[in-house]
Amino acid sequence: LQSSNSLKASYEDWLLTYGLSVSPFHLRWQTALFNRQFYNWGRWKPRFLYLWFSVGMVFGILAMFGSVILLGKTLLQTLTQMLTEYPKAQNDRMLQVVVSVPSLGLCLRAVPGVNLPVSQLTYFFSAILISGVIHEVGHGVAAIRFNGFGIFIFIVYPGAFVDLFTTHLQLISPVQQLRIFCAGVWHNFVLGVASFMVLFLLPAILFPFYYTGVGALVTEVTEDSPANGPRGLFVGDLVTNLQDCPVYNVEDWNSCLGDISEKSQVGYCVSAATLQQLSFPARVYRRLDGTVECCSNNSLTDICFSYSNKLDSLYACLPARKVIEASKVCRTNMDCHKDFVPSFCVTPSLENQTRLIRVKHPPHIDMLYVGHPMHLQYTVSLSSFVPRQNFLSIDLPVVIETFCKYLISLSGALAVINAVPCFALDGQWILNSFLEATLSSLIVEKQNRELVGFLILLAGSALLAANVALGLWMVTAR
């Protein structure tokens, strides 16, 4: 359109009329419609706002120093993982590596299309946009006077900005500048804390409509899940136990699966008479991983169990459901000695890392799951909130929980990264104002102060760039 002689003028006039700006990978919209609203907010309770932004100034300065320490430790962690043969899970990191463009923080450990599920994109982009808007509202209310407020899209990531008056910033004191420049990261921190409080108080907030502490409610079972089937789990089922591990909420579900995965397979007490009645002759052979199989590969109901008497280790192919139902969980034969009835502790003989798990979801018959516990965790979605009435959505608490977690993560990331003393970020202006406010008496020449600031910004930019580069490598290469 810009290269067209006939359309260029009208196209540029149209962009100017609607406050639009278009460039490669970047679409921006700016308006003065909200200027009066920002002005009214900035004049509301001046004493309170003065105290509010003064606290924000202190937080912003501390965040500037803290972000450098945090990025430094994150860089060391990344380098350590690169040099180790078996790196730890990425969730163990102190800070998920973040890359920022002006007024926008993007978490590289949550890259859409790479390691972020499509179902989570709405939460991701909405949280980024809200965090960006709240960030810029902080700047706007603190400054009161500015040209306009706007929203932009950089590649696929949304963000917001305020266009401040440069002359106004030059006329006010460095301390007043700090209140304006620190307001963005301060508001992001407050948004993160508010989201955390909502997440923490959600059971109390939703108490009139949902109750908790009775189990984990199934909200989704993927089509490829091993828990999908006529004897599996269904949406609306309430899971109360995994083996002998009680489940009162989603945290218990995850904790129980973690324990089952780390510990050895539990056994089940079976009387000698029942064992003799159910078992039948079977060929015993060893798998490639050293474990023993004694059932036909075509069997869908039988599992090879191992047990021991005083002399030998024995194996029997048994119908799994008949063995497990109404049986006591055990580790050794000693756990099964009761009422002088000869009994054995029979343990499923499965491949390494594979477990037989009994999942209780009354009033339905127990689900028997054979596989890796983490596969069950990844393919079944649950909620700790159970509706008090049938017409209430089982997904609403999950939506609120997930969105709050994204707000905490992304708003926190935006606060941390924008506080870094780096070119083109809030940290650049925070650092310059801080040096003007603290070093004017020590370094009289303004040019020397600017040189000190430039060197610090150069180091901060290099630190952030190193984190971004290694973070990208960790996401894409590994």
Side-chain angles (χ1 to χ4, degrees):
L1 291 172
Q2 287 181 333
S3 63
S4 172
N5 293 329
S6 59
L7 297 176
K8 180 179 179 180
S10 58
Y11 171 66
E12 291 180 346
D13 289 340
W14 180 79
L15 290 178
L16 185 62
T17 301
Y18 290 97
L20 292 172
S21 175
V22 181
S23 59
F25 309 110
H26 191 261
L27 176 65
R28 185 170 111 161
W29 171 70
Q30 181 175 335
T31 180
L33 291 174
F34 305 107
N35 288 20
R36 180 170 294 277
Q37 184 62 55
F38 277 87
Y39 180 83
N40 293 335
W41 286 343
R43 292 299 182 184
W44 177 78
K45 296 186 181 298
R47 290 186 178 180
F48 170 78
L49 290 179
Y50 177 82
L51 178 62
W52 175 261
F53 289 115
S54 295
V55 174
M57 177 184 66
V58 175
F59 172 81
I61 295 171
L62 294 175
M64 179 178 63
F65 292 106
S67 64
V68 173
I69 297 173
L70 201 57
L71 281 179
K73 291 187 175 181
T74 303
L75 181 61
L76 292 176
Q77 283 184 337
T78 305
L79 289 173
T80 302
Q81 283 203 341
M82 290 176 63
L83 297 175
T84 55
E85 185 177 357
Y86 301 102
K88 293 181 180 180
Q90 293 176 359
N91 290 336
D92 294 340
R93 292 179 172 275
M94 182 175 299
L95 174 69
Q96 302 295 1
V97 181
V98 173
V99 60
S100 291
V101 297
S103 304
L104 178 63
L106 310 178
C107 185
L108 282 185
R109 289 299 179 193
V111 181
V114 178
N115 59 358
L116 185 68
V118 175
S119 61
Q120 302 286 300
L121 292 182
T122 302
Y123 298 112
F124 183 75
F125 289 121
S126 298
I128 285 180
L129 180 59
I130 291 175
S131 299
V133 169
I134 295 299
H135 180 100
E136 298 305 327
V137 165
H139 289 311
V141 174
I144 300 179
R145 299 180 180 89
F146 55 90
N147 288 321
F149 170 83
I151 294 174
F152 67 87
I153 297 177
F154 178 76
I155 308 178
V156 295
Y157 297 95
F161 66 92
V162 288
D163 187 8
L164 301 176
F165 285 121
T166 305
T167 53
H168 171 66
L169 292 173
Q170 292 174 344
L171 292 174
I172 61 178
S173 68
V175 175
Q176 290 174 307
Q177 292 177 11
L178 276 173
R179 290 193 182 94
I180 295 173
F181 295 139
C182 293
V185 297
W186 168 239
H187 274 215
N188 278 132
F189 172 75
V190 172
L191 176 62
V193 172
S195 301
F196 177 80
M197 293 303 297
V198 171
L199 187 64
F200 180 76
L201 297 174
L202 196 58
I205 296 172
L206 297 180
F207 180 77
F209 311 101
Y210 299 84
Y211 56 90
T212 58
V214 293
L217 184 69
V218 178
T219 59
E220 182 185 7
V221 181
T222 62
E223 291 184 3
D224 59 344
S225 172
N228 193 5
R231 292 286 181 93
L233 297 176
F234 295 90
V235 173
D237 287 355
L238 192 65
V239 177
T240 58
N241 283 83
L242 291 172
Q243 302 287 48
D244 57 341
C245 183
V247 175
Y248 300 106
N249 49 46
V250 176
E251 288 73 23
D252 290 341
W253 163 274
N254 294 328
S255 177
C256 289
L257 285 177
D259 290 342
I260 292 172
S261 178
E262 293 174 2
K263 296 177 181 178
S264 59
Q265 173 71 56
V266 298
Y268 302 90
C269 292
V270 178
S271 66
T274 303
L275 184 62
Q276 184 176 7
Q277 178 184 0
L278 294 177
S279 63
F280 53 88
R283 177 188 174 191
V284 176
Y285 62 91
R286 291 192 178 275
R287 304 185 184 98
L288 294 177
D289 61 359
T291 57
V292 174
E293 177 61 86
C294 60
C295 289
S296 169
N297 291 333
N298 298 325
S299 175
L300 299 177
T301 59
D302 301 335
I303 290 179
C304 182
F305 287 84
S306 65
Y307 62 100
S308 62
N309 54 24
K310 294 181 179 180
L311 300 176
D312 301 311
S313 293
L314 305 173
Y315 298 91
C317 184
L318 304 172
R321 189 168 293 277
K322 290 183 179 180
V323 170
I324 292 175
E325 286 181 345
S327 297
K328 177 184 175 183
V329 174
C330 60
R331 293 285 179 181
T332 66
N333 289 338
M334 294 296 295
D335 299 330
C336 301
H337 289 175
K338 183 180 179 181
D339 299 331
F340 302 101
V341 177
S343 298
F344 296 97
C345 182
V346 299
T347 304
S349 179
L350 303 170
E351 295 175 285
N352 288 338
Q353 306 302 320
T354 302
R355 299 287 185 271
L356 171 61
I357 305 174
R358 177 170 58 180
V359 182
K360 288 186 175 293
H361 55 127
H364 306 289
I365 189 171
D366 295 352
M367 181 187 79
L368 301 185
Y369 167 81
V370 178
H372 196 287
M374 293 301 103
H375 293 167
L376 190 61
Q377 185 177 23
Y378 293 146
T379 59
V380 179
S381 299
L382 303 105
S383 171
S384 301
F385 296 85
V386 182
R388 294 184 181 274
Q389 302 295 334
N390 293 333
F391 65 86
L392 293 173
S393 171
I394 63 175
D395 295 321
L396 179 61
V398 178
V399 170
I400 298 174
E401 276 186 316
T402 306
F403 188 62
C404 284
K405 290 176 181 178
Y406 269 93
L407 277 179
I408 294 169
S409 174
L410 294 174
S411 188
L414 192 62
V416 171
I417 297 308
N418 270 281
V420 177
C422 173
F423 293 110
L425 298 180
D426 287 349
Q428 175 182 357
W429 316 113
I430 294 173
L431 175 67
N432 290 339
S433 300
F434 177 74
L435 294 179
E436 286 295 318
T438 57
L439 296 184
S440 296
S441 58
L442 296 176
I443 304 176
V444 179
E445 293 292 334
K446 183 177 179 62
Q447 185 176 1
N448 293 335
R449 293 197 300 271
E450 290 178 348
L451 178 60
V452 172
F454 175 80
L455 294 176
I456 296 175
L457 288 173
L458 198 61
S461 300
L463 177 63
L464 182 57
N467 273 278
V468 169
L470 294 180
L472 279 170
W473 183 86
M474 291 290 285
V475 169
T476 56
R478 303 188 72 169

